Amino acid sequence: MTKYCSNCGKGNDDNSTFCRNCGERLSGMHSINSDNKSVKKGNNKVLIGVIVLLLMVIAIVGTYAFFYYQ
């Protein structure tokens, strides 16, 4: 039995992980989705960190402006 690449349609050996023609991963949707979830979690942590840092800067500038202009 032959695995067919979902990207280019070429046949590959059953034990192939990547397409020998285009290099696309052949392992299936489950592993691709789990890889994407780990990337999204990492991106969310960075985004949350940037938002927290931005809020801290706004709070510091706001506090400084409040006391400076009184």
Side-chain angles (χ1 to χ4, degrees), residues 4-19:
Y4 290 94
C5 178
S6 61
N7 187 45
C8 69
K10 294 289 182 178
N12 294 276
D13 295 332
D14 285 338
N15 58 354
S16 296
T17 305
F18 296 94
C19 177

Side-chain angles (χ1 to χ4, degrees), residues 27-41:
S27 62
M29 293 303 290
H30 181 68
S31 65
I32 292 172
N33 286 339
S34 64
D35 291 343
N36 287 342
K37 286 180 184 177
S38 65
V39 170
K40 287 180 182 178
K41 285 182 181 178

Side-chain angles (χ1 to χ4, degrees), residues 22-66:
C22 69
E24 183 75 18
R25 184 185 270 292
L26 298 173
S27 62
M29 293 303 290
H30 181 68
S31 65
I32 292 172
N33 286 339
S34 64
D35 291 343
N36 287 342
K37 286 180 184 177
S38 65
V39 170
K40 287 180 182 178
K41 285 182 181 178
N43 288 342
N44 286 343
K45 288 180 182 179
V46 171
L47 181 61
I48 290 170
V50 168
I51 291 171
V52 168
L53 183 64
L54 184 62
L55 289 174
M56 289 173 55
V57 168
I58 290 171
I60 291 169
V61 169
T63 302
Y64 175 76
F66 177 76

